[in-house]
Amino acid sequence: FRSLLSKLLCRRLATERAAWQGPAAMAAMAQGGQAKMSATQVQEKQKQDAELPMEEIARNYKTDMTRGLSSKQAEEVLLRDGPNELEKPPKPTLLMLFLMQLTSFIIVLLMVAAGASVAVNATGPGASDPLSYTTGIAIAIIVLINAGIAAWTEHKAGDALEALSQMTQASIYVLRDGKEVQVSVPTVVRGDVVVLGVGDVMPADVRLFEASDFKVSEMALTGEPDDVAKTWKLKAKKEGEPEKLTPENMAFSGCSVTSGAGKGIVTDTGMSTRIGRIAQLIAGEDGGKGKTKCGCFPDTSANQTPLQKNLEKLGARIGILAILICVGIFVIGWAADRKDPANPESAAWLYMILVAVTLAVAAIPEGIPLCVTISLSLGCKDMVEQNVLVRKLAAVETLGSASVICSDKTGTLTEGKMTMVGMWTAGVTYEVTGKGFDPEVGQVQRIGTNTAAGGDMGVKSNLLAALLCCNTSLAKEKDTETGEIKWVPKGNSSEAPIVVAARKVGLSETITTEYPRVLEVPFSSSRKMMLTVSKVQGETLCPGGMPLDDGAKFLAVCKGAPNYIVDLCSEVLKEDGSYEALTDDARANILKIVDGYSARALRVLAIATRCMTELPYDEADEDVTTDQKFSACRQQLRLVGLVASIDPDRDGVPESVIAARGAGIRVVMITGDYLLTAMAIAKNVNILQASDDIETSAVDCACLRPGGEYLSDAEMDKLTGCVRVFARAKPEDKLEIVKSIQRQGQVAAMTGDGVNDAPALNQANIGVAMGIQGTEVAKGASDMILTDDNFCSIVKAVEKGRAIYAGIQKFVAFIMSVHIAEVMQIFVCIVVGIPVMRSPLQILFLILVTDLPPSIALGMEPGEKNILKQKPRPKEEPIVLNWMWLAMVMNGAVLSVVIVGVYLAALVNYCDGEIFQADIYNLDRYEERLANAQTVAFISLVWSENIRSYIARSFTMPMWTDVLGNKHMQKAIIMAQICLYVAVLTPYFSDKILGLRGLDIGLWGWGVALAGPIGTFILSELCKLISWYQANKYQQSLAVEDSAPAPDVVGKPQPQQHMKAA
């Protein structure tokens, strides 16, 4: 796909370069919206979007760069231009789905059966009697009903999945009515002012008018792997400079923001964007048509999950086998001269065609694909209630085999609501009291005292310097759910405790307006710090703050990982306001303080400053990169202090980790935090337990890449096979860890929220993005999204995924056992020579009434209580295991033995002791007598299969265990019972159409029919003993050997070594 995009883009760019000449098209666009224009007009417009001054761009799109569009303007433009999305194939209508059902192999077989019925009766003595054609007509009606039910169900399942996709729709911040609001991407219109940050995906083509260290990945558009720097400035092309693939001041739809921040005006949306034009080219080469089947119907097979495809193949193989069996039954019945009891004069081969075709339909499990679709779609819907949005249906089935969960710490294992509790500055240790984000509760005080120390020089200097390197604000807001007024931070969660603590000492974040910022280098996983440069004046940083150097006009502030910051410092602030050289001993003592905080599970940030009389780079030089500015400003830093914050564990996380361990799932924490901090938190949430060897279970990610190069695959696999905590991890480390886990045959779920997490999320078997803190890039690469960012939701999703998969296994086993029984019963009748116990129409009625509703109910079966005590299933495990096949055959045989026994007893009673077809045909009123016996067998079978539905709720547990635990099963059985009594007791319909005589069998018949479910219950429960033994044996074979000695960890650094990532 990428290759095709590149070729098409090159072709498009070549055309653009040749055609970027001609009259302006902007005015026409402003008047006519995004109506179709010629290629030349489009190219001219795109060129002018990149070259015109911003004021003129704003006028052309009738917008304001400071206020954006008004809500009314946005609605009008949206109505005119349409939603901001690429064209997609229309969703199949209900009628189309219905017609598609009629093309299936099963439906064709049913139509053949109907035709065979008409042919048989048309050649008999009752050809002129309209009632003789009731079987064929009834089969046709059942075909239409079955197709209608299947189409409606698929339609509703599609609606449910569509609703889920709407819930996972991307969003972006725009300016509307002068306010920054979040809107869904399809509602973005031309003229909107979009606010862009790291992790956003460009919602449309945008002309930038603000850009700070702004970079985007244009791989989706150009195929180029390197990030592309963007600017708001209009740069004249230098002589001899090659033309760039994309203008520097334009960012295009579908490209992700990888660095910095920016604002811009939307110039094109939907199919008018560059990516939209490429989509048009692709559609043009494809003729604008999608894949079809049967020549005219849309082919939706590409949307199937691997499970659905495997089950479809299983059904096809079973279907072929069933057809072969039915051909054998046809040959045997023809040779034995088995004739239609209602038309003994007709040829045996005509009747056997009808029986064989109908039996083939009964034998083929046509309901499996439908039930799987229902189970998966309803399962996704249920997961929403557990704060999990499934983006890819295949993730539901993969969840059941997850054996490793790699989780972030902040916001996932912890609440993500950090509170400052400690501080070290100017050689003095302080504690910060209070809780949460309320700055009016608590104070800063020296350790061992209760006296407020907010006026101390070191405290004010440390917190103000940190505040100058923050972008977070704090304000009171009303909770929409509780109505409570509370303090809410807006911005980065790690900056919130700094803002709150600063407020406690009288420093509001608004004070930063007195220190105009001239440079900001955002935090990144590679830099491990953030840097700002602000203008300063006077002799001290603030009243009562640290002194500034003589002539200082600028102050650079670095905030970030202590080990990185301390390494860059040459001096440290003293209590008297002076500075002293930072010796190796002093550096070691500071790192011991960091270790002390980290051992208490506190997150530590270091604050360092540098006074400058002038900027160490030329502001007018546009070729100076952000990285070069960063390197120039972070020299000769002075350490001001440390701040330590706690992020409380989420409620329920320790219990969920224990539950995951019991389920055979290894929980691995991957965090950028310091090793001691990571270990302390891991112990709090039970990731590290007393039985774990700390030396091998927790490592610094530097040991993954000694010397800067990653370990060999063998060494990496040896290490990752036992580690539970990876500290100071980079995003690329996540990718290597996931690959290593997968090489070991494990199924990995990986959480992530940042842009750089996307490769690991995409590589993982189950990519899990954060719904609150997650970027749009991370969400787009994921398989599912946690709307509450809570680790507990992952474990719940695994449990639900296992339950859904187990439900699918149960209904597959149920359907197969019922169909096996149908084949066995008819086969016995044909071979032994007794009358066939059911007519083709009765067989089809049973399929519709007793198979489908309970099967769907089994697919919605809640998980068994011990489902998280079972080991993860291997990802290549077939849906139907060997011991399940044996269970299906045994239960099919039980049904056959019981029902054949009931049928024989009924024949003896109603047919004067005769059981063979040839003898029964010689009796008076044999049709009525035979119909009575068939009715008893019919009733007994429905009751028996209803009992089997409850028995099938578990392969190993007794039926009476939580017998009413599945409310859907009660509904299905009630429906089956109503249909049964309508079928056997309704005059004319029962006797003339279905050939059943429920009103004539007497109490004896109803009593004998009751023997079927009783026998089925007893024998099937006995069969469960065999299934229980085999299932336990299989689970034991999956058990992981925990007694193996832990491998040596290559190059593992000790906590006190403070090794930084290579």
Side-chain angles (χ1 to χ4, degrees):
F1 177 70
R2 187 180 299 163
S3 174
L4 176 60
L5 278 180
S6 299
K7 290 178 182 177
L8 291 171
L9 180 67
C10 291
R11 185 189 309 166
R12 170 60 71 190
L13 290 176
T15 306
E16 288 179 3
R17 288 169 185 150
W20 271 2
Q21 297 175 5
M26 192 70 73
M29 279 298 295
Q31 295 296 325
Q34 294 190 139
K36 285 193 174 180
M37 300 186 298
S38 67
T40 303
Q41 288 177 314
V42 170
Q43 292 149 11
E44 175 64 19
K45 176 197 170 297
Q46 291 178 342
K47 183 184 181 208
Q48 292 195 21
D49 283 339
E51 295 180 351
L52 286 176
M54 276 310 306
E55 293 75 13
E56 191 170 343
I57 293 287
R59 281 197 304 272
N60 286 330
Y61 290 101
K62 300 179 181 179
T63 190
D64 186 293
M65 288 187 285
T66 58
R67 293 184 56 81
L69 295 173
S70 67
S71 299
K72 184 178 180 181
Q73 279 180 298
E75 290 176 6
E76 291 173 352
V77 179
L78 182 62
L79 185 63
R80 183 188 68 197
D81 292 350
N84 174 35
E85 55 190 12
L86 300 182
E87 292 177 358
K88 49 189 176 184
K91 180 183 173 182
T93 62
L94 183 59
L95 176 61
M96 182 65 72
L97 290 173
F98 175 75
L99 295 175
M100 288 168 64
Q101 294 293 330
L102 297 180
T103 64
S104 71
F105 179 65
I106 302 301
I107 297 297
V108 171
L109 275 180
L110 283 168
M111 297 304 291
V112 170
S117 174
V118 171
V120 168
N121 290 284
T123 58
S128 58
D129 183 4
L131 287 178
S132 63
Y133 300 101
T134 53
T135 297
I137 295 171
I139 291 175
I141 292 173
I142 287 178
V143 165
L144 296 177
I145 292 174
N146 191 48
I149 292 173
W152 174 256
T153 307
E154 187 173 345
H155 179 69
K156 296 302 290 182
D159 287 346
L161 294 177
E162 182 71 19
L164 287 174
S165 69
Q166 293 294 325
M167 295 176 71
T168 60
Q169 206 169 61
S171 59
I172 196 75
Y173 282 95
V174 301
L175 294 181
R176 295 263 176 94
D177 302 311
K179 298 178 181 178
E180 189 174 308
V181 295
Q182 190 175 27
V183 300
S184 61
V185 168
T187 63
V188 172
V189 299
R190 291 188 310 116
D192 261 330
V193 175
V194 293
V195 182
L196 302 164
V198 175
D200 287 332
V201 177
M202 296 303 301
D205 289 357
V206 172
R207 167 69 184 273
L208 299 171
F209 63 83
E210 285 186 17
S212 173
D213 188 29
F214 195 72
K215 294 181 181 179
V216 298
S217 171
E218 293 186 340
M219 182 179 290
L221 191 66
T222 66
E224 294 295 329
D226 297 329
D227 294 342
V228 180
K230 297 291 181 178
T231 180
W232 59 271
K233 300 176 182 177
L234 281 172
K235 291 185 179 181
K237 182 182 175 185
K238 297 178 181 179
E239 186 176 351
E241 183 181 22
E243 188 169 347
K244 296 185 178 180
L245 288 176
T246 57
E248 286 183 299
N249 56 4
M250 295 285 295
F252 296 98
S253 177
C255 300
S256 56
V257 181
T258 58
S259 176
K263 290 182 181 179
I265 294 176
V266 174
T267 59
D268 285 300
T269 59
M271 294 300 290
S272 294
T273 61
R274 285 210 176 188
I275 203 75
R277 296 288 173 181
I278 292 175
Q280 285 181 337
L281 288 173
I282 294 173
E285 296 212 346
D286 191 37
K289 298 177 180 178
K291 291 184 178 181
T292 61
K293 62 180 182 180
C294 299
C296 59
F297 296 117
D299 184 3
T300 58
S301 59
N303 298 326
Q304 290 183 319
T305 70
L307 174 62
Q308 288 172 313
K309 292 177 180 178
N310 290 337
L311 284 174
E312 196 169 83
K313 291 178 182 177
L314 173 65
R317 288 195 293 267
I318 293 173
I320 293 173
L321 178 62
I323 290 173
L324 294 176
I325 292 173
C326 293
V327 169
I329 289 177
F330 168 76
V331 172
I332 294 172
W334 187 15
D337 198 30
R338 302 288 183 250
K339 296 183 179 181
D340 185 359
N343 187 12
E345 303 300 324
S346 63
W349 65 272
L350 282 174
Y351 175 63
M352 288 311 302
I353 285 178
L354 183 60
V355 172
V357 170
T358 309
L359 188 58
V361 174
I364 298 172
E366 71 281 356
I368 289 179
L370 177 63
C371 291
V372 171
T373 301
I374 295 171
S375 295
L376 292 177
S377 60
L378 292 181
C380 291
K381 188 176 179 181
D382 291 341
M383 284 189 180
V384 173
E385 298 175 3
Q386 298 179 355
N387 301 309
V388 178
L389 285 178
V390 177
R391 296 185 65 252
K392 299 174 185 177
L393 208 56
V396 178
E397 62 199 62
T398 311
L399 278 169
S401 32
S403 52
V404 179
I405 298 177
C406 300
S407 176
D408 280 335
K409 174 188 71 68
T410 305
T412 307
L413 296 169
T414 61
E415 291 184 0
K417 298 178 181 178
M418 301 184 70
T419 304
M420 189 180 298
V421 296
M423 182 192 311
W424 177 90
T425 179
V428 181
T429 302
Y430 298 85
E431 64 177 340
V432 184
T433 62
K435 188 177 181 181
F437 299 129
D438 189 348
E440 298 172 351
V441 177
Q443 63 183 11
V444 179
Q445 58 194 36
R446 293 195 179 207
I447 287 291
T449 71
N450 294 320
T451 305
D456 287 10
M457 179 275 302
V459 172
K460 297 187 74 171
S461 302
N462 196 32
L463 289 177
L464 179 54
L467 206 58
L468 293 177
C469 200
C470 287
N471 290 317
T472 298
S473 61
L474 185 68
K476 285 185 176 180
E477 288 187 4
K478 184 177 182 179
D479 191 310
T480 55
E481 294 182 0
T482 63
E484 180 185 357
I485 303 296
K486 58 183 181 181
W487 290 92
V488 178
K490 288 188 176 180
N492 191 295
S493 61
S494 64
E495 294 178 350
I498 294 174
V499 175
V500 174
R503 285 280 190 104
K504 290 180 180 181
V505 299
L507 297 172
S508 170
E509 60 270 21
T510 57
I511 197 176
T512 57
T513 58
E514 301 174 16
Y515 303 82
R517 186 176 294 180
V518 297
L519 175 67
E520 176 184 334
V521 181
F523 176 88
S524 73
S525 57
S526 56
R527 299 186 186 111
K528 295 293 185 183
M529 66 186 73
M530 175 182 177
L531 179 143
T532 60
V533 177
S534 303
K535 291 182 179 180
V536 293
Q537 57 184 353
E539 297 181 354
T540 59
L541 180 60
C542 64
M546 66 183 186
L548 300 175
D549 291 352
D550 294 338
K553 296 181 179 179
F554 301 94
L555 182 71
V557 181
C558 275
K559 167 173 64 71
N563 50 323
Y564 284 79
I565 298 286
V566 170
D567 280 352
L568 294 173
C569 291
S570 57
E571 294 180 319
V572 60
L573 179 66
K574 295 175 62 179
E575 190 174 4
D576 61 4
S578 62
Y579 299 94
E580 68 177 4
L582 190 60
T583 63
D584 289 342
D585 289 341
R587 186 175 280 108
N589 288 333
I590 292 170
L591 290 177
K592 284 182 180 179
I593 295 172
V594 174
D595 285 349
Y597 282 134
S598 299
R600 293 163 52 195
L602 302 182
R603 186 175 186 182
V604 186
L605 293 175
I607 314 297
T609 62
R610 175 191 176 189
C611 292
M612 299 178 291
T613 56
E614 60 181 15
L615 294 175
Y617 58 87
D618 185 359
E619 278 191 286
D621 187 352
E622 297 179 354
D623 292 329
V624 178
T625 66
T626 300
D627 287 335
Q628 289 172 331
K629 294 176 182 178
F630 175 67
S631 297
C633 292
R634 66 176 186 175
Q635 306 297 320
Q636 300 174 343
L637 294 177
R638 292 166 171 170
L639 182 66
V640 178
L642 307 170
V643 294
S645 304
I646 190 169
D647 190 4
D649 309 331
R650 278 188 179 271
D651 291 339
V653 167
E655 294 78 11
S656 292
V657 172
I658 293 294
R661 277 203 171 194
I665 301 172
R666 178 163 58 105
V667 179
V668 176
M669 185 174 79
I670 305 177
T671 177
D673 278 348
Y674 202 59
L675 180 58
L676 286 175
T677 305
M679 290 169 60
I681 293 171
K683 290 177 181 177
N684 290 346
V685 297
N686 290 325
I687 289 177
L688 287 179
Q689 297 182 3
S691 58
D692 295 323
D693 182 358
I694 299 299
E695 292 299 310
T696 57
S697 295
V699 299
D700 189 307
C701 280
C703 69
L704 302 179
R705 33 184 163 74
E709 296 291 330
Y710 281 105
L711 300 171
S712 66
D713 288 353
E715 290 179 308
M716 180 73 78
D717 296 350
K718 186 177 181 182
L719 189 151
T720 60
C722 64
V723 173
R724 296 183 182 275
V725 177
F726 290 95
R728 291 202 295 178
K730 294 182 177 182
E732 51 267 34
D733 295 335
K734 282 188 172 184
L735 181 59
E736 294 301 320
I737 291 168
V738 168
K739 287 180 178 178
S740 176
I741 289 171
Q742 290 174 327
R743 282 196 299 269
Q744 300 167 53
Q746 304 286 318
V747 176
M750 168 67 76
T751 69
D753 54 12
V755 176
N756 294 328
D757 290 331
L761 291 174
N762 192 55
Q763 175 69 34
N765 303 93
I766 309 164
V768 184
M770 302 296 108
I772 300 173
Q773 296 289 342
T775 61
E776 293 299 335
V777 174
K779 293 175 185 177
S782 67
D783 300 296
M784 56 189 245
I785 299 172
L786 302 183
T787 57
D788 60 351
D789 291 9
N790 193 338
F791 176 83
C792 300
S793 298
I794 304 177
V795 179
K796 290 177 183 176
V798 170
E799 183 177 12
K800 185 64 179 177
R802 288 189 178 188
I804 291 171
Y805 194 87
I808 292 173
Q809 286 181 315
K810 290 169 186 175
F811 78 63
V812 169
F814 172 74
I815 287 178
M816 291 303 302
S817 65
V818 168
H819 288 203
I820 289 171
E822 289 283 357
V823 174
M824 285 182 174
Q825 292 165 37
I826 302 301
F827 183 79
V828 168
C829 291
I830 296 296
V831 172
V832 175
I834 60 179
V836 177
M837 69 173 69
R838 278 181 290 283
S839 68
L841 185 55
Q842 292 169 5
I843 292 175
L844 294 175
F845 187 85
L846 285 169
I847 291 172
L848 192 62
V849 172
T850 62
D851 290 0
L852 194 57
S855 298
I856 295 173
L858 282 172
M860 294 183 280
E861 181 72 22
E864 297 181 20
K865 291 182 179 180
N866 67 339
I867 199 162
L868 279 183
K869 300 296 183 183
Q870 301 171 8
K871 300 300 178 183
R873 61 178 177 82
K875 62 180 179 179
E876 301 300 330
E877 177 187 272
I879 184 71
V880 181
L881 304 173
N882 290 336
W883 64 268
M884 293 180 186
W885 279 111
L886 179 59
M888 288 188 291
V889 173
M890 286 192 301
N891 282 286
V894 164
L895 267 178
S896 298
V897 169
V898 169
I899 301 305
V900 169
V902 169
Y903 182 49
L904 290 176
L907 285 176
V908 169
N909 180 70
Y910 294 114
C911 298
D912 298 339
E914 304 292 347
I915 62 172
F916 294 106
Q917 180 172 306
D919 299 327
I920 291 173
Y921 283 177
N922 295 323
L923 298 174
D924 294 334
R925 297 184 298 108
Y926 75 88
E927 296 96 337
E928 296 176 6
R929 297 173 180 233
L930 184 56
N932 288 340
Q934 290 175 333
T935 301
V936 172
F938 184 90
I939 295 169
S940 186
L941 180 62
V942 173
W943 285 350
S944 298
E945 290 190 357
N946 288 169
I947 287 293
R948 269 280 300 135
S949 300
Y950 282 99
I951 295 172
R953 292 184 59 223
S954 174
F955 287 107
T956 57
M957 299 299 292
M959 188 192 83
W960 54 85
T961 303
D962 194 21
V963 66
L964 299 178
N966 185 352
K967 62 181 180 180
H968 304 289
M969 184 62 74
Q970 277 71 268
K971 296 177 184 177
I973 298 305
I974 290 172
M975 183 188 301
Q977 287 299 301
I978 291 172
C979 291
L980 167 65
Y981 302 124
V982 169
V984 299
L985 298 177
T986 306
Y988 190 82
F989 175 69
S990 60
D991 55 351
K992 299 297 183 182
I993 296 177
L994 290 178
L996 298 171
R997 298 167 58 85
L999 296 173
D1000 301 315
I1001 60 174
L1003 289 177
W1004 185 92
W1006 290 94
V1008 171
L1010 192 60
I1014 295 173
T1016 299
F1017 167 72
I1018 294 172
L1019 295 177
S1020 292
E1021 286 297 316
L1022 289 175
C1023 289
K1024 273 190 181 179
L1025 296 175
I1026 300 175
S1027 297
W1028 175 85
Y1029 171 77
Q1030 292 184 317
N1032 280 349
K1033 191 173 181 182
Y1034 178 74
Q1035 278 296 312
Q1036 290 171 9
S1037 70
L1038 296 179
V1040 180
E1041 293 295 336
D1042 294 327
S1043 57
D1048 294 330
V1049 179
V1050 181
K1052 176 186 179 298
Q1054 298 301 314
Q1056 67 271 18
Q1057 290 180 301
H1058 313 288
M1059 291 182 62
K1060 68 180 179 183

